Amino acid sequence: MVPASKADKKAAVDAAAWMFNVVTSVGIIIVNKALMATYGFSFATTLTGMHFATTTLMTAVLRWLGYIQASHLPYLELLKFVLFANFSIVGMNVSLMWNSVGFYQIAKLSMIPVSCLLEVVFDKIRYSRDTKLSIAVVLLGVGVCTVTDVNVNTKGFVAAFIAVWSTALQQYYVHFLQRKYSLSSFNLLGHTAPAQAASLLLLGPFLDYWLTNKRIDAFNFNIPSLVFIVLSCSIAVGTNLSQFICIGRFTAVSFQVLGHMKTILVLILGFLFFGKEGLNMHVVVGMIIAVVGMVWYGNASSRPGGKERHSHSSRSSQQKHGSESSEIDEKV
């Protein structure tokens, strides 16, 4: 039996991790929208490279101060992670350009069943009926909120397919690497952020030129735009870290399901800041359905048998490693 104080502490840390991720993710969306819409900085891939460069600087400072201990991640594992992560970033940008908003949202929703499939195949996870139904309710609610026109073309479908699978694999790999190599969120970021920063800063300007027909060296870097870029990079440090913390403490599926709360918050903030033109009955109903599904998922997946491994030995191993990782994150 877990002591009440320890269980309460874990619940508080879990809630803080989710709140940290929600606040930073919604914040960076708003800042990036302002940066791109107001100042015309449309170089999304290069901006992501800047985000990881800032994250690399943060991990280097923390390592120098002694807050991050030395750790090991095999080069092949790092290479696979960076490939998944970069294909995810590039795939999402290309998918958004080639697809309608409706199909782009459907592709994002499909990440949940793909993440579930990865857990079933690689981790031998078994979901209860209530857990499956709650996921379906979340998908329905978010779909009602966000999916409008749905136009599909061949190249857009291929881009979305690559984006969905690479994103799901990248998020699964965050959880996998932290467990397998006993890495804290800071440790894993310390390994992956420099490689992602270097590759995206090299690739980004060429990809952005291909997508927008604009050259980043021709952009007018005035003081207001630089302030927003610095703000975006600063918030991105928290976004990257909180993603690793949340997936490490939970799973990629839980991160995706509960992460749709960010979609709901972005819609609400959009209505508050930009008017109520898009606020209609079917959007409100969709929000309510999605929130009900998220609450249901939280309860269903946490109950005995709601989400567990097939074999007792592997389940015990998961609990053991999960406890170790949680202690590492709490210490950091």
Side-chain angles (χ1 to χ4, degrees), residues 89-134:
I89 294 166
V90 174
M92 281 297 179
N93 289 340
V94 175
S95 176
L96 184 59
M97 181 184 72
W98 285 349
N99 291 310
S100 65
V101 174
F103 186 73
Y104 176 77
Q105 291 295 343
I106 289 177
K108 288 182 67 176
L109 290 176
S110 68
M111 289 179 196
I112 292 179
V114 171
S115 295
C116 290
L117 178 62
L118 292 177
E119 287 192 351
V120 169
V121 172
F122 294 117
D123 292 340
K124 309 302 179 186
I125 294 293
R126 178 175 55 199
Y127 297 92
S128 68
R129 183 184 64 178
D130 277 1
T131 304
K132 294 175 184 175
L133 289 174
S134 65

Side-chain angles (χ1 to χ4, degrees), residues 189-218:
L189 267 179
H191 288 292
T192 60
Q196 283 191 261
S199 56
L200 289 174
L201 288 176
L202 287 174
L203 173 67
F206 299 100
L207 180 64
D208 290 332
Y209 178 73
W210 176 54
L211 293 174
T212 66
N213 203 30
K214 295 179 181 178
R215 291 171 46 184
I216 191 170
D217 59 311

